């Protein structure tokens, strides 16, 4: 029976060229499926700049996990974060967020409640920092109606010239069995009555003088690219 399509014979050089073309085609298709990952942090930052119509953004630092991370940048009083995933071909752009801050400092939380807070941006002149969070609980929990306010403070851990993180700690010990202690433990576990809060960031110089104060309400959660260790 005669074959419908005749067999094409390639020379050794033609086979090498064919295989090379197939490899390049596979790489292109993979790059296309991954939305053309960036090879460097600078290239990833430039991609985000094009989205926000910016230029000359300063890369402050990077942070993240094994398979994902975040770039932090500054452009005057604009602060930019770029979330990405790591692939074998580079860093895949996920999303970017932009904030306008008159003092060049932005604060975010790690979770939906303000237990861990990060401040980043124009912090290079601060010798140390502290956060104060006033939390107001209101609602029913544990068979009791709550209308309680408590203030928590935490000193910042500096990770680099542009970043502090803060960890709130409970006021009551684990051995305390009072209703207030039970409610606080529930809150730190992500439960408890409804709450609102106000946050105050204070910056200090080397002599302990306060140089700036920033009052904020709700803090947005951008916990993916969180610095995990003190790097000073």
């Amino acid at each position: 029976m005669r074959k419908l399509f005749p067999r094409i014979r390639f020379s050794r050089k033609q086979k090498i060229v064919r295989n090379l073309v197939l490899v390049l085609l596979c790489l292109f298709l993979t790059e296309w499926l991954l939305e053309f990952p960036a090879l460097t942090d600078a290239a990833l930052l430039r991609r985000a700049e094009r989205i926000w119509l910016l230029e000359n953004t300063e890369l402050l630092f990077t942070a993240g996990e094994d398979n994902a991370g975040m770039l932090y940048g500054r452009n005057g009083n604009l602060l930019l974060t770029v979330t990405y995933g790591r692939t074998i071909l580079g860093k895949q752009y996920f999303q970017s967020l932009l904030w306008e801050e008159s003092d060049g400092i932005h604060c975010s939380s790690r979770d939906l409640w303000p237990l861990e807070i990060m401040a980043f941006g124009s912090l290079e002149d601060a010798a140390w920092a502290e956060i104060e969070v006033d939390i107001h609980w209101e609602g029913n929990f544990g068979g009791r109606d709550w209308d309680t306010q408590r203030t928590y403070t935490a000193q910042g851990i500096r990770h680099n010239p542009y970043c502090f993180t803060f960890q709130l700690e409970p006021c009551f010990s684990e051995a305390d069995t009072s209703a207030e202690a039970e409610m606080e433990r529930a809150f730190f576990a992500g439960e408890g009555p409804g709450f609102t809060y106000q946050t105050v960031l204070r910056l200090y110089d080397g002599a302990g003088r306060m140089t700036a104060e920033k009052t904020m309400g709700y803090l947005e959660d951008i916990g993916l690219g969180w610095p995990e260790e003190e790097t000073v």
Side-chain angles (χ1 to χ4, degrees), residues 207-228:
R209 294 184 295 263
M210 188 174 70
T211 58
E213 184 176 77
K214 182 183 182 75
T215 301
M216 301 151 286
Y218 172 77
L219 301 178
E220 187 174 0
D221 175 18
I222 56 168
L224 176 62
W226 202 268
E228 296 294 338

Side-chain angles (χ1 to χ4, degrees), residues 41-56:
D41 291 342
L44 190 64
L45 190 62
R46 298 292 87 77
R47 181 173 299 183
E49 278 189 313
R50 289 194 294 271
I51 293 173
W52 293 103
L53 303 179
L54 298 174
E55 59 182 14
N56 300 321

Side-chain angles (χ1 to χ4, degrees), residues 61 116-120 123 126-131 154-169 201 226-232:
F61 63 98
E116 293 181 88
I117 297 170
M118 175 172 60
F120 80 95
L123 297 166
W128 59 282
E130 71 175 4
I131 212 87
Q155 187 165 333
I157 298 173
R158 184 184 281 281
H159 295 265
N160 55 62
Y162 313 102
C163 176
F164 286 100
T165 59
F166 308 85
Q167 172 73 57
L168 301 190
E169 299 293 341
L201 171 69
W226 202 268
E228 296 294 338
E229 299 177 358
E230 186 174 1
T231 56
V232 174

Side-chain angles (χ1 to χ4, degrees), residues 146-221:
W146 294 90
D147 187 1
T148 304
Q149 185 167 329
R150 187 167 296 121
T151 300
Y152 297 85
T153 59
Q155 187 165 333
I157 298 173
R158 184 184 281 281
H159 295 265
N160 55 62
Y162 313 102
C163 176
F164 286 100
T165 59
F166 308 85
Q167 172 73 57
L168 301 190
E169 299 293 341
C171 293
F172 296 95
S173 69
E174 288 291 332
D176 195 323
T177 59
S178 66
E180 288 78 8
E182 293 291 343
M183 190 276 293
E184 184 189 66
R185 280 193 286 272
F187 170 73
F188 271 76
E191 302 169 359
F195 67 94
T196 57
Y197 63 90
Q198 179 174 279
T199 306
V200 180
L201 171 69
R202 297 187 180 96
L203 305 179
Y204 298 86
D205 62 17
R209 294 184 295 263
M210 188 174 70
T211 58
E213 184 176 77
K214 182 183 182 75
T215 301
M216 301 151 286
Y218 172 77
L219 301 178
E220 187 174 0
D221 175 18

Side-chain angles (χ1 to χ4, degrees), residues 100-126:
E100 184 174 4
E101 303 282 2
S102 59
D103 57 3
I105 301 169
H106 182 74
C107 292
S108 300
S109 68
R110 188 181 178 98
D111 295 298
L112 298 179
W113 45 92
L115 302 183
E116 293 181 88
I117 297 170
M118 175 172 60
F120 80 95
S122 302
L123 297 166
E124 56 266 53
D125 294 330

